[in-house]
Amino acid sequence: MPLGNSAPPPGFDFDHTLDAARGGDDRALAVLWRDLQPALLRYLRAVEPGAAEDIASETWLEVTRRLDRFSGDERDFRGWLFTIARHRLIDARRRAARHRTAPVAWIPERPGRDDPAADVLADLSTQASIRLVSELPPEQAEAVLLRVMAGLDTDQVARIMGKQPGNVRVLSHRGLRNLARRLTPAGATPVLPEAAAL
């Protein structure tokens, strides 16, 4: 199950909401955005912090343009969304390589929840996690972000990254091992989270 900043609305049925969004229902599309945007931003902020918001916007614009042609269920939609995001990320990196500019400082989003203290603690925890993951080798970081933070399965991540599922398992396992080592006090044996059993 992917980590999210907010729970879906009561009675939320992803597939029903997806069908409504495909049919042109703007409210259904907004519900999908609220459900998936936090995981999408976590992924993008870890791999390209200076352009994460812009890439996420470009991703959702492409989703809205192509949604009527999409077919599949929740699993397929999540994979499709992150595939689009990765393609927009690659495009952004190519543009940046051609036009070097200084990145604008990231301004944290302001979630509209009822408990600001919990939001601050969750945000600090998320930022610390993203910082740790972003220190991994790039392919390990991407595999861990897509598997653990975005909640995608190994086959979906393999398609997104253009790798074999076995390679994704190895990258995820090594990334989680590296994280476990960094979080384990000196002299103690690192314990991998259950997500490592990929």
Side-chain angles (χ1 to χ4, degrees):
M1 181 58 109
L3 304 170
N5 288 346
S6 61
F12 175 69
D13 177 308
F14 193 98
D15 291 328
H16 175 74
T17 305
L18 178 58
D19 286 341
R22 262 194 301 241
D25 185 338
D26 290 339
R27 289 178 303 206
L29 182 61
V31 170
L32 293 175
W33 179 86
R34 270 194 312 272
D35 183 52
L36 296 169
Q37 179 72 351
L40 181 64
L41 281 176
R42 278 193 300 274
Y43 164 64
L44 292 170
R45 284 181 182 143
V47 295
E48 196 64 48
E53 298 282 341
D54 291 339
I55 296 168
S57 295
E58 290 174 18
T59 299
W60 283 105
L61 281 173
E62 186 165 342
V63 165
T64 59
R65 283 194 296 263
R66 296 172 45 196
L67 187 59
D68 60 335
R69 290 172 284 180
F70 171 79
S71 65
D73 59 10
E74 176 179 0
R75 177 182 175 275
D76 298 324
F77 185 79
R78 288 177 186 277
W80 184 61
L81 175 71
F82 280 89
T83 299
I84 292 171
R86 188 163 193 267
H87 290 161
R88 296 298 67 80
L89 168 67
I90 291 167
D91 292 345
R93 285 178 173 167
R94 287 179 183 150
R95 279 191 307 271
R98 287 192 303 265
H99 311 286
R100 293 279 177 212
T101 60
V104 176
W106 175 70
I107 300 170
E109 62 187 68
R110 296 177 174 253
R113 292 178 50 199
D114 294 329
D115 186 357
D119 289 343
V120 168
L121 290 175
D123 192 44
L124 289 174
S125 175
T126 299
Q127 287 177 21
S129 298
I130 289 172
R131 195 172 308 112
L132 275 173
V133 172
S134 66
E135 292 171 2
L136 292 172
E139 286 190 334
Q140 288 179 19
E142 188 170 19
V144 168
L145 286 165
L146 290 170
R147 282 286 293 123
V148 178
M149 291 188 159
L152 301 175
D153 66 33
T154 303
D155 291 336
Q156 289 175 301
V157 175
R159 281 193 300 277
I160 290 169
M161 292 182 70
K163 298 199 171 295
Q164 294 296 318
N167 294 352
V168 169
R169 284 187 200 92
V170 169
L171 287 168
S172 300
H173 183 74
R174 287 180 181 164
L176 290 170
R177 270 246 187 255
N178 283 335
L179 290 174
R181 269 190 231 106
R182 292 174 189 200
L183 295 172
T184 303
T189 304
V191 178
L192 284 175
E194 284 191 28
L198 306 168

Short mmCIF file of all heavy atoms in Angstrom, two decimals, residues 2-8 30-46 52-53 56 60 78 81-82 106 109 111-113 122-123 126-127 130 145 148-151:
data_model
loop_
_atom_site.label_atom_id
_atom_site.label_comp_id
_atom_site.label_asym_id
_atom_site.label_seq_id
_atom_site.Cartn_x
_atom_site.Cartn_y
_atom_site.Cartn_z
N PRO A 2 0.71 2.18 -0.92
CA PRO A 2 1.54 3.36 -0.97
C PRO A 2 1.31 4.26 0.21
O PRO A 2 0.24 4.27 0.80
CB PRO A 2 1.10 4.04 -2.27
CG PRO A 2 -0.22 3.48 -2.60
CD PRO A 2 -0.30 2.14 -1.97
N LEU A 3 2.35 5.01 0.57
CA LEU A 3 2.24 5.97 1.65
C LEU A 3 1.61 7.23 1.10
O LEU A 3 2.01 7.74 0.09
CB LEU A 3 3.64 6.29 2.20
CG LEU A 3 4.45 5.09 2.66
CD1 LEU A 3 5.87 5.53 2.94
CD2 LEU A 3 3.84 4.47 3.89
N GLY A 4 0.62 7.79 1.78
CA GLY A 4 -0.03 9.00 1.32
C GLY A 4 -0.18 10.00 2.44
O GLY A 4 -0.16 9.63 3.61
N ASN A 5 -0.35 11.28 2.11
CA ASN A 5 -0.51 12.31 3.13
C ASN A 5 -1.94 12.43 3.58
O ASN A 5 -2.22 13.01 4.62
CB ASN A 5 -0.05 13.67 2.58
CG ASN A 5 1.44 13.73 2.44
OD1 ASN A 5 2.15 12.88 2.97
ND2 ASN A 5 1.93 14.72 1.73
N SER A 6 -2.91 11.94 2.79
CA SER A 6 -4.29 12.08 3.18
C SER A 6 -5.06 10.85 2.75
O SER A 6 -4.73 10.20 1.77
CB SER A 6 -4.90 13.32 2.52
OG SER A 6 -4.83 13.19 1.13
N ALA A 7 -6.07 10.53 3.54
CA ALA A 7 -6.89 9.36 3.24
C ALA A 7 -7.87 9.72 2.14
O ALA A 7 -8.30 10.86 2.02
CB ALA A 7 -7.63 8.92 4.50
N PRO A 8 -8.24 8.74 1.31
CA PRO A 8 -9.24 9.01 0.29
C PRO A 8 -10.58 9.33 0.96
O PRO A 8 -10.79 8.99 2.12
CB PRO A 8 -9.33 7.70 -0.50
CG PRO A 8 -8.28 6.80 0.02
CD PRO A 8 -7.72 7.40 1.27
N ALA A 30 -10.05 15.09 -9.75
CA ALA A 30 -9.49 15.76 -8.56
C ALA A 30 -9.27 14.76 -7.43
O ALA A 30 -8.28 14.84 -6.70
CB ALA A 30 -10.41 16.89 -8.10
N VAL A 31 -10.17 13.80 -7.28
CA VAL A 31 -10.01 12.77 -6.24
C VAL A 31 -8.79 11.91 -6.55
O VAL A 31 -7.99 11.59 -5.66
CB VAL A 31 -11.29 11.91 -6.11
CG1 VAL A 31 -11.05 10.70 -5.22
CG2 VAL A 31 -12.44 12.76 -5.56
N LEU A 32 -8.62 11.54 -7.81
CA LEU A 32 -7.43 10.76 -8.19
C LEU A 32 -6.16 11.56 -7.92
O LEU A 32 -5.17 11.03 -7.42
CB LEU A 32 -7.49 10.37 -9.67
CG LEU A 32 -8.58 9.39 -10.08
CD1 LEU A 32 -8.58 9.20 -11.59
CD2 LEU A 32 -8.41 8.06 -9.37
N TRP A 33 -6.19 12.84 -8.26
CA TRP A 33 -5.03 13.70 -8.02
C TRP A 33 -4.71 13.75 -6.52
O TRP A 33 -3.55 13.59 -6.14
CB TRP A 33 -5.31 15.10 -8.56
CG TRP A 33 -4.19 16.05 -8.34
CD1 TRP A 33 -3.10 16.23 -9.14
CD2 TRP A 33 -4.01 16.95 -7.24
NE1 TRP A 33 -2.27 17.18 -8.60
CE2 TRP A 33 -2.81 17.64 -7.43
CE3 TRP A 33 -4.77 17.22 -6.10
CZ2 TRP A 33 -2.33 18.58 -6.53
CZ3 TRP A 33 -4.30 18.17 -5.21
CH2 TRP A 33 -3.09 18.84 -5.44
N ARG A 34 -5.73 13.96 -5.68
CA ARG A 34 -5.49 14.02 -4.22
C ARG A 34 -4.93 12.70 -3.70
O ARG A 34 -4.10 12.68 -2.80
CB ARG A 34 -6.79 14.35 -3.47
CG ARG A 34 -7.01 15.82 -3.27
CD ARG A 34 -8.11 16.11 -2.26
NE ARG A 34 -9.32 15.35 -2.45
CZ ARG A 34 -10.34 15.72 -3.22
NH1 ARG A 34 -10.28 16.84 -3.89
NH2 ARG A 34 -11.41 14.97 -3.32
N ASP A 35 -5.37 11.59 -4.27
CA ASP A 35 -4.91 10.29 -3.81
C ASP A 35 -3.47 10.00 -4.24
O ASP A 35 -2.69 9.44 -3.45
CB ASP A 35 -5.84 9.19 -4.35
CG ASP A 35 -5.48 7.81 -3.84
OD1 ASP A 35 -5.34 7.64 -2.61
OD2 ASP A 35 -5.32 6.90 -4.67
N LEU A 36 -3.08 10.39 -5.45
CA LEU A 36 -1.79 9.98 -6.01
C LEU A 36 -0.72 11.06 -6.00
O LEU A 36 0.47 10.75 -6.08
CB LEU A 36 -1.99 9.48 -7.44
CG LEU A 36 -2.85 8.22 -7.54
CD1 LEU A 36 -3.23 7.94 -8.97
CD2 LEU A 36 -2.12 7.04 -6.93
N GLN A 37 -1.11 12.33 -5.92
CA GLN A 37 -0.14 13.42 -5.97
C GLN A 37 0.93 13.34 -4.87
O GLN A 37 2.11 13.57 -5.16
CB GLN A 37 -0.87 14.77 -5.93
CG GLN A 37 0.03 15.98 -5.95
CD GLN A 37 0.69 16.25 -7.28
OE1 GLN A 37 0.64 15.45 -8.21
NE2 GLN A 37 1.33 17.41 -7.40
N PRO A 38 0.59 13.02 -3.61
CA PRO A 38 1.66 12.95 -2.59
C PRO A 38 2.75 11.95 -2.92
O PRO A 38 3.94 12.25 -2.80
CB PRO A 38 0.90 12.55 -1.32
CG PRO A 38 -0.49 13.05 -1.54
CD PRO A 38 -0.75 12.84 -3.02
N ALA A 39 2.39 10.75 -3.38
CA ALA A 39 3.39 9.74 -3.72
C ALA A 39 4.20 10.18 -4.94
O ALA A 39 5.42 9.99 -5.00
CB ALA A 39 2.72 8.39 -3.99
N LEU A 40 3.52 10.79 -5.91
CA LEU A 40 4.21 11.27 -7.11
C LEU A 40 5.23 12.34 -6.74
O LEU A 40 6.37 12.31 -7.18
CB LEU A 40 3.19 11.83 -8.10
CG LEU A 40 3.74 12.36 -9.42
CD1 LEU A 40 4.41 11.24 -10.22
CD2 LEU A 40 2.63 13.01 -10.23
N LEU A 41 4.85 13.28 -5.88
CA LEU A 41 5.77 14.34 -5.46
C LEU A 41 6.94 13.79 -4.66
O LEU A 41 8.07 14.24 -4.82
CB LEU A 41 5.04 15.41 -4.66
CG LEU A 41 4.24 16.41 -5.50
CD1 LEU A 41 3.48 17.36 -4.59
CD2 LEU A 41 5.13 17.18 -6.45
N ARG A 42 6.69 12.81 -3.78
CA ARG A 42 7.80 12.22 -3.01
C ARG A 42 8.83 11.62 -3.96
O ARG A 42 10.03 11.81 -3.78
CB ARG A 42 7.28 11.15 -2.05
CG ARG A 42 6.74 11.72 -0.76
CD ARG A 42 6.55 10.63 0.27
NE ARG A 42 5.62 9.60 -0.14
CZ ARG A 42 4.30 9.67 0.01
NH1 ARG A 42 3.75 10.71 0.58
NH2 ARG A 42 3.53 8.69 -0.38
N TYR A 43 8.36 10.89 -4.95
CA TYR A 43 9.26 10.29 -5.94
C TYR A 43 10.05 11.38 -6.66
O TYR A 43 11.28 11.33 -6.73
CB TYR A 43 8.44 9.45 -6.92
CG TYR A 43 9.16 9.09 -8.19
CD1 TYR A 43 10.29 8.27 -8.17
CD2 TYR A 43 8.71 9.55 -9.42
CE1 TYR A 43 10.95 7.94 -9.35
CE2 TYR A 43 9.35 9.23 -10.60
CZ TYR A 43 10.48 8.42 -10.56
OH TYR A 43 11.12 8.09 -11.73
N LEU A 44 9.36 12.38 -7.18
CA LEU A 44 10.02 13.41 -7.97
C LEU A 44 10.95 14.28 -7.14
O LEU A 44 12.02 14.68 -7.60
CB LEU A 44 8.98 14.27 -8.69
CG LEU A 44 8.20 13.54 -9.80
CD1 LEU A 44 7.03 14.39 -10.28
CD2 LEU A 44 9.12 13.14 -10.95
N ARG A 45 10.57 14.58 -5.90
CA ARG A 45 11.44 15.40 -5.04
C ARG A 45 12.72 14.67 -4.69
O ARG A 45 13.75 15.30 -4.46
CB ARG A 45 10.70 15.80 -3.77
CG ARG A 45 9.70 16.90 -4.02
CD ARG A 45 8.98 17.29 -2.76
NE ARG A 45 8.01 18.32 -3.04
CZ ARG A 45 6.83 18.41 -2.46
NH1 ARG A 45 6.47 17.53 -1.54
NH2 ARG A 45 6.00 19.37 -2.78
N ALA A 46 12.66 13.36 -4.65
CA ALA A 46 13.87 12.60 -4.33
C ALA A 46 14.80 12.52 -5.54
O ALA A 46 16.01 12.56 -5.37
CB ALA A 46 13.51 11.20 -3.85
N ALA A 52 10.57 19.16 -9.22
CA ALA A 52 9.53 18.17 -8.90
C ALA A 52 8.12 18.69 -9.17
O ALA A 52 7.30 18.00 -9.79
CB ALA A 52 9.66 17.71 -7.46
N GLU A 53 7.82 19.88 -8.69
CA GLU A 53 6.47 20.44 -8.87
C GLU A 53 6.13 20.61 -10.35
O GLU A 53 5.03 20.28 -10.78
CB GLU A 53 6.35 21.79 -8.15
CG GLU A 53 6.54 21.72 -6.65
CD GLU A 53 5.33 21.22 -5.90
OE1 GLU A 53 4.22 21.26 -6.46
OE2 GLU A 53 5.50 20.78 -4.75
N ALA A 56 5.60 17.20 -11.96
CA ALA A 56 4.30 16.64 -11.54
C ALA A 56 3.17 17.32 -12.31
O ALA A 56 2.23 16.66 -12.77
CB ALA A 56 4.11 16.81 -10.04
N TRP A 60 0.48 15.44 -14.82
CA TRP A 60 -0.98 15.47 -14.72
C TRP A 60 -1.61 16.08 -15.97
O TRP A 60 -2.71 15.66 -16.38
CB TRP A 60 -1.42 16.19 -13.46
CG TRP A 60 -1.25 15.31 -12.26
CD1 TRP A 60 -0.28 15.41 -11.29
CD2 TRP A 60 -2.05 14.18 -11.90
NE1 TRP A 60 -0.44 14.39 -10.37
CE2 TRP A 60 -1.51 13.63 -10.71
CE3 TRP A 60 -3.15 13.57 -12.47
CZ2 TRP A 60 -2.05 12.52 -10.09
CZ3 TRP A 60 -3.70 12.45 -11.84
CH2 TRP A 60 -3.15 11.94 -10.66
N ARG A 78 -1.72 3.46 -11.80
CA ARG A 78 -0.55 3.89 -11.03
C ARG A 78 0.73 3.72 -11.84
O ARG A 78 1.59 4.61 -11.88
CB ARG A 78 -0.46 3.13 -9.71
CG ARG A 78 -1.51 3.52 -8.71
CD ARG A 78 -1.42 2.68 -7.43
NE ARG A 78 -2.51 2.96 -6.54
CZ ARG A 78 -2.54 3.98 -5.68
NH1 ARG A 78 -1.51 4.80 -5.61
NH2 ARG A 78 -3.58 4.17 -4.90
N LEU A 81 0.80 6.37 -14.60
CA LEU A 81 1.12 7.69 -14.06
C LEU A 81 2.62 7.84 -13.81
O LEU A 81 3.23 8.84 -14.21
CB LEU A 81 0.35 7.92 -12.74
CG LEU A 81 0.68 9.21 -12.00
CD1 LEU A 81 0.12 10.42 -12.74
CD2 LEU A 81 0.11 9.16 -10.59
N PHE A 82 3.24 6.85 -13.16
CA PHE A 82 4.66 6.95 -12.85
C PHE A 82 5.53 6.78 -14.10
O PHE A 82 6.63 7.32 -14.16
CB PHE A 82 5.05 5.97 -11.74
CG PHE A 82 4.69 6.49 -10.38
CD1 PHE A 82 3.45 6.23 -9.83
CD2 PHE A 82 5.58 7.28 -9.67
CE1 PHE A 82 3.10 6.75 -8.59
CE2 PHE A 82 5.24 7.80 -8.43
CZ PHE A 82 4.00 7.53 -7.89
N TRP A 106 12.85 25.28 -2.99
CA TRP A 106 11.58 24.58 -2.86
C TRP A 106 10.77 25.20 -1.74
O TRP A 106 11.26 25.46 -0.64
CB TRP A 106 11.84 23.10 -2.57
CG TRP A 106 10.59 22.34 -2.30
CD1 TRP A 106 9.61 22.02 -3.20
CD2 TRP A 106 10.17 21.80 -1.06
NE1 TRP A 106 8.62 21.32 -2.58
CE2 TRP A 106 8.93 21.17 -1.26
CE3 TRP A 106 10.71 21.80 0.23
CZ2 TRP A 106 8.24 20.54 -0.26
CZ3 TRP A 106 10.02 21.17 1.23
CH2 TRP A 106 8.79 20.55 0.98
N GLU A 109 4.62 22.55 0.47
CA GLU A 109 3.18 22.69 0.27
C GLU A 109 2.48 22.78 1.63
O GLU A 109 3.03 22.39 2.65
CB GLU A 109 2.64 21.50 -0.51
CG GLU A 109 2.83 20.17 0.19
CD GLU A 109 2.44 19.02 -0.69
OE1 GLU A 109 3.14 18.78 -1.68
OE2 GLU A 109 1.46 18.36 -0.36
N PRO A 111 -0.62 21.37 3.39
CA PRO A 111 -1.78 20.49 3.34
C PRO A 111 -2.94 21.06 4.16
O PRO A 111 -2.73 21.73 5.15
CB PRO A 111 -1.27 19.17 3.93
CG PRO A 111 -0.07 19.54 4.71
CD PRO A 111 0.50 20.80 4.11
N GLY A 112 -4.17 20.80 3.72
CA GLY A 112 -5.34 21.33 4.41
C GLY A 112 -5.93 20.36 5.39
O GLY A 112 -7.12 20.06 5.31
N ARG A 113 -5.13 19.85 6.30
CA ARG A 113 -5.64 18.90 7.30
C ARG A 113 -5.93 19.63 8.59
O ARG A 113 -5.56 20.78 8.78
CB ARG A 113 -4.62 17.79 7.51
CG ARG A 113 -4.51 16.92 6.25
CD ARG A 113 -3.51 15.83 6.34
NE ARG A 113 -3.65 15.03 7.53
CZ ARG A 113 -2.69 14.26 8.02
NH1 ARG A 113 -1.56 14.17 7.39
NH2 ARG A 113 -2.87 13.56 9.11
N ALA A 122 4.90 14.75 10.17
CA ALA A 122 4.90 13.86 9.00
C ALA A 122 5.79 14.43 7.90
O ALA A 122 6.53 13.69 7.25
CB ALA A 122 3.48 13.69 8.48
N ASP A 123 5.74 15.76 7.72
CA ASP A 123 6.56 16.39 6.69
C ASP A 123 8.04 16.24 7.01
O ASP A 123 8.85 15.94 6.14
CB ASP A 123 6.18 17.87 6.55
CG ASP A 123 6.80 18.50 5.32
OD1 ASP A 123 6.77 17.85 4.25
OD2 ASP A 123 7.32 19.61 5.42
N THR A 126 8.98 12.68 6.33
CA THR A 126 9.04 12.45 4.88
C THR A 126 10.28 13.08 4.29
O THR A 126 10.99 12.45 3.49
CB THR A 126 7.78 13.02 4.21
OG1 THR A 126 6.64 12.35 4.75
CG2 THR A 126 7.81 12.81 2.71
N GLN A 127 10.59 14.31 4.69
CA GLN A 127 11.78 14.98 4.17
C GLN A 127 13.05 14.22 4.54
O GLN A 127 13.95 14.06 3.72
CB GLN A 127 11.86 16.41 4.69
CG GLN A 127 10.84 17.34 4.08
CD GLN A 127 10.90 18.73 4.68
OE1 GLN A 127 11.91 19.12 5.26
NE2 GLN A 127 9.82 19.48 4.54
N ILE A 130 13.22 11.07 2.38
CA ILE A 130 13.59 11.40 1.00
C ILE A 130 15.06 11.77 0.92
O ILE A 130 15.77 11.38 0.00
CB ILE A 130 12.68 12.52 0.45
CG1 ILE A 130 11.28 11.95 0.22
CG2 ILE A 130 13.24 13.10 -0.84
CD1 ILE A 130 10.25 12.99 -0.14
N LEU A 145 12.17 4.17 -4.30
CA LEU A 145 11.07 5.14 -4.33
C LEU A 145 9.84 4.57 -5.03
O LEU A 145 8.72 4.71 -4.54
CB LEU A 145 11.52 6.42 -5.04
CG LEU A 145 12.47 7.30 -4.24
CD1 LEU A 145 13.14 8.31 -5.16
CD2 LEU A 145 11.73 8.00 -3.11
N VAL A 148 8.66 1.22 -2.79
CA VAL A 148 8.20 1.42 -1.42
C VAL A 148 7.32 2.66 -1.29
O VAL A 148 6.21 2.59 -0.77
CB VAL A 148 9.40 1.50 -0.44
CG1 VAL A 148 8.93 1.75 0.97
CG2 VAL A 148 10.22 0.21 -0.51
N MET A 149 7.78 3.79 -1.76
CA MET A 149 7.03 5.03 -1.56
C MET A 149 5.85 5.17 -2.52
O MET A 149 4.81 5.68 -2.16
CB MET A 149 7.94 6.24 -1.65
CG MET A 149 8.90 6.32 -0.48
SD MET A 149 9.78 7.88 -0.51
CE MET A 149 10.30 7.98 1.19
N ALA A 150 6.02 4.72 -3.76
CA ALA A 150 4.92 4.82 -4.72
C ALA A 150 4.01 3.59 -4.66
O ALA A 150 2.91 3.61 -5.19
CB ALA A 150 5.45 5.01 -6.13
N GLY A 151 4.50 2.50 -4.06
CA GLY A 151 3.67 1.31 -3.89
C GLY A 151 3.47 0.49 -5.16
O GLY A 151 2.50 -0.24 -5.27
#
